[in-house]
């Protein structure tokens, strides 16, 4: 089983400061950690490896100092690490980030790809699903339990607002995980010693065969206008009736609110 | 103070410190209150490779020494002596296998110990054999290819929770001290059962039980070393493990001191923090000085033993004696510095004071340590003449 875990290095603070002029994150002078959700992804990957054998590769796109996060992942038990670093990657939005990760994953090959649910800085929760789309691969988000893994399939519980779904998928598949999934382990001493010596593979634009125009700032359609916490307007309507009636009513409702 | 630890020693200490802070400290009061065995913490320590610190690499360990083991024990002890006792008793129970085990026994047992898959206990003490270990009455009789064990061990740390037991039993009553032998016994062997869990003053997270042997048959290959070497193995074991008890003393004293110093700075009386009163300052100064002296002694002796030195009984007794007397004094004084708060369960120092007492008792009482040092002194002065 080849497992890739996408990890993001994020600033260690719950109070992220935002540059009022550019509306972007100010990262200077804040210590970096592995995105907390990604620790659960690493733990899940190691647990599967312990069960089925295989290899866990951690993958990150970031500046050279993101290597620290990769070494910390190896100390927890990951086998290999790949750093995607290239000037051409700078300024990526979630689209360009996902494209870049997908190109690298294509090159590396994997049966299961893990992502965190979201990054605590960017917070969009888009990179996992978008990466799966670029890879033309099924994805299951918000998984809180792995029920079963075989050579060709996986069965998981997906967290919902109330309760959970049980979802089964063929492999390869991309999964995004929530904290309920497991308790990330501490690093081990042997892992730490291995991490110190580990060879970290660095890959750039050419290595992953990426199209220059889809990368970094150039490949990023997002323009940040404003950042705000959206008001949560929880309104729910149950649509009753036979399946046919339900579809008809749903279409009517959606047209009324001009969704379609 | 900086003891110039090397890179790997720092890595070991820092990870142990992280586990003490993140995994032990938050639940120590609950473990104490409920007298609960710290399984989750043992699992974490296992996953992080700590059980293999001083086991040879060929058996899956890290191949470090008693010094590095002491660093880990010290860090765990700053948070909870009950937890550190559970952990350290493994090392105590493993030494007999390392010291005298055949290749086969080492191959059979050490990998599972190093990985933390199986916990270990050391069984020497009996109702009539405490300080006077030669009073052991448990017998082991060779019958064909098996030894048959009969008797009861008392107050055995990890008893019932461990999977592997190293046991001292009498193989030949007529030979006195040369009539004892050491064995490995697996939990689950027919005829091997446990008494009830003891209810204790301190180290309540650590379990203490009787080991009961009733016609318990073990393969004769489970003999450690040769028949008759039991007490020699036991004494060598204790010589090695005592710096670990010393490290426990340094750790618990440091934990109590830290709590007291922070409290003294925050607590206001007579319009000033109590740390500004010279009487309190002097107590803290004495505590800090004693802790540093204990640490320096424990570290030096551990390194001396790791060097392969032969005659280590006196040094190892000194490290245990001094560091654990310091631990008792410092934890009592920490309660004093904190006044009524120190006496309350909301603060950690009353527990540390209750816990510290065991260090002056187990693995040889501190009176016995003084006897060991005294006997060594007599030997040395006789030689000098
Ligand atoms: C408002 C806003 C402002 C931004 N400003 C800047 C900026 O000024 N400068 C800048 O460089 N970027 C900026 N970005 C960052 C960039 O768009 C995102 O950080 C990046 O695309 C990942 O998105 P996310 O943080 O929302 O991750 P999410 O989609 O929330 O992350 C989900 C999971 O995807 C994986 N993942 C995400 N990113 C990576 C990665 N790099 N490598 C490996 N795996 C990953 C992880 O498993 C993670 O748990 C900004 C983003 C937003 C939303
Ligand atoms: C919580 C706990 C855990 C333990 N864990 C283990 C374990 O894992 N394995 C194990 O084998 N044992 C274990 N023990 C036993 C422990 O090592 C003994 O309790 C200890 O050696 C003292 O023996 P004793 O209690 O019989 O005291 P005694 O020998 O009865 O001593 C009573 C008093 O007399 C003093 N005394 C006795 N003889 C002399 C002398 N010659 N000179 C001066 N003073 C003397 C002692 O110092 C003490 O103050 C444990 C004990 C406890 C309480």
């Amino acid at each position: 089983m080849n497992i890739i875990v996408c990890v993001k290095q994020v600033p260690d603070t719950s109070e992220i400061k935002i540059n009022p002029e550019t509306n972007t994150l100010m990262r200077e002078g804040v210590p970096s950690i592995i995105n907390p959700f990604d620790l659960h992804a690493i733990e899940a990957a190691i647990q599967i490896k312990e069960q089925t054998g295989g290899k866990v590769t951690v993958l990150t796109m970031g500046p050279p100092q993101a290597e620290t996060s990769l070494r910390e992942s190896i100390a927890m038990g990951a086998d290999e690490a790949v750093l995607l670093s290239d000037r051409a990657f700078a300024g990526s939005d979630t689209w360009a980030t996902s494209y870049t990760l997908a190109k690298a994953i294509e090159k590396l090959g994997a049966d299961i790809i893990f992502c965190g649910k979201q990054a605590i800085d960017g917070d969009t929760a888009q990179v996992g699903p978008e990466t799966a789309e670029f890879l033309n691969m099924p994805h299951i988000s918000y998984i809180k339990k792995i029920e079963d893994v075989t050579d060709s399939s996986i069965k998981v519980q997906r967290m919902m607002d109330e309760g959970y779904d049980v979802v089964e998928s063929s492999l390869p598949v991309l999964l995004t995980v929530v904290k309920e999934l497991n308790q990330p382990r501490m690093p081990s001493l042997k892992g730490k010693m291995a991490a110190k010596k580990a060879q970290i593979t660095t890959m750039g634009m050419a290595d992953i065969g990426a199209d220059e125009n889809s990368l970094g700032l150039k490949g990023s359609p997002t323009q940040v206008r404003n950042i705000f916490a959206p008001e949560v307007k929880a309104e729910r309507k149950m649509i009753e009736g036979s399946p046919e009636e339900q579809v008809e009513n749903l279409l009517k409702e959606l047209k009324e609110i001009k969704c379609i | 103070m900086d003891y110039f630890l090397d890179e790997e020693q720092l890595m070991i200490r820092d990870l142990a410190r992280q586990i003490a802070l993140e995994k032990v400290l938050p639940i120590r009061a609950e473990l104490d209150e409920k007298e609960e065995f710290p399984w989750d913490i043992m699992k974490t320590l296992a996953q992080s490779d700590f059980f293999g610190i001083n086991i040879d690499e060929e058996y899956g360990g890290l191949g470090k020494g008693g010094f590095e083991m002491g660093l880990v024990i010290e860090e765990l002890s700053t948070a909870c002596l009950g937890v550190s006792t559970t952990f350290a008793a493994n090392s105590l129970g493993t030494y007999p296998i390392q010291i005298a085990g055949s290749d086969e026994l080492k191959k059979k047992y050490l990998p599972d110990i190093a990985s933390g898959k199986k916990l270990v206990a050391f069984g020497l003490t009996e109702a009539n054999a405490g300080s006077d270990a030669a009073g052991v009455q448990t017998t082991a009789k060779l019958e064909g290819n098996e030894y048959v064990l009969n008797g009861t061990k008392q107050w055995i740390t990890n008893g019932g929770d461990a999977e592997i037991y190293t046991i001292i039993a009498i193989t030949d009553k007529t030979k006195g001290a040369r009539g004892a032998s050491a064995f490995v016994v697996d939990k689950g062997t027919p005829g091997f059962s446990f008494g009830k869990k003891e209810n204790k003053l301190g180290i309540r997270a650590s379990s203490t039980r009787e080991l009961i042997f009733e016609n318990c048959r073990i393969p004769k290959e489970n003999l450690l070393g040769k028949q008759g070497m039991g007490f020699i193995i036991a004494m060598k074991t204790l010589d090695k493990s005592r710096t670990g008890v010393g490290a426990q003393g340094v750790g618990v004293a440091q934990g109590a001191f830290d709590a007291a110093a922070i409290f003294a700075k925050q607590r206001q009386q007579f319009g000033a923090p109590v740390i500004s009163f010279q009487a309190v300052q002097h107590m803290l100064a004495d505590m800090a000085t004693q802790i540093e002296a204990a640490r320096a002694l424990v570290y030096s002796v551990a390194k001396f033993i790791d060097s392969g030195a032969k005659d280590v009984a006196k040094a190892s007794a000194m490290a245990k004696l001094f560091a654990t007397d310091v631990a008792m004094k410092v934890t009592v004084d920490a309660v004093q510095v904190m006044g009524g708060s120190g006496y309350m369960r909301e603060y950690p120092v009353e527990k540390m004071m209750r816990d510290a007492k065991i260090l002056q008792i187990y693995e040889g009482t501190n009176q016995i340590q003084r006897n060991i040092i005294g006997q060594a002194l007599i030997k040395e002065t006789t030689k000098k003449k």
Side-chain angles (χ1 to χ4, degrees), chain A residues 75-100:
Chain A
M76 278 176 75
D79 303 286
E80 286 176 15
V82 177
L83 173 67
L84 295 171
S85 211
D86 195 316
R87 276 181 195 286
F89 300 157
S92 298
D93 66 1
T94 61
W95 177 280
T97 302
S98 304
Y99 170 76
T100 312

Side-chain angles (χ1 to χ4, degrees), chain A residues 43 50 183-193 196-197, chain B residues 7 11-12 15 18 22-23 44 47-50 53 60 62:
Chain A
E43 176 65 35
E50 284 172 346
Q183 189 67 45
R185 69 191 62 194
M186 289 275 183
S188 72
L189 292 172
K190 284 181 192 167
K192 280 190 154 227
M193 288 171 193
K196 224 175 52 191
K197 293 181 209 134
Chain B
E7 207 180 339
M11 187 189 281
I12 290 167
L15 187 55
Q18 191 187 347
E22 290 178 19
K23 304 279 177 185
T44 300
Q47 219 162 36
S48 297
D49 300 326
F50 282 102
I53 289 247
L62 289 170

Side-chain angles (χ1 to χ4, degrees), chain A residues 6-8 24 35 38 61 94 97 115-116 118-119 122 124-127:
Chain A
C6 298
V7 301
K8 187 184 183 191
T24 51
N35 179 39
D38 303 352
M61 180 179 90
T94 61
T97 302
C115 287
Q118 71 198 72
T124 67
Q126 290 173 3
V127 170

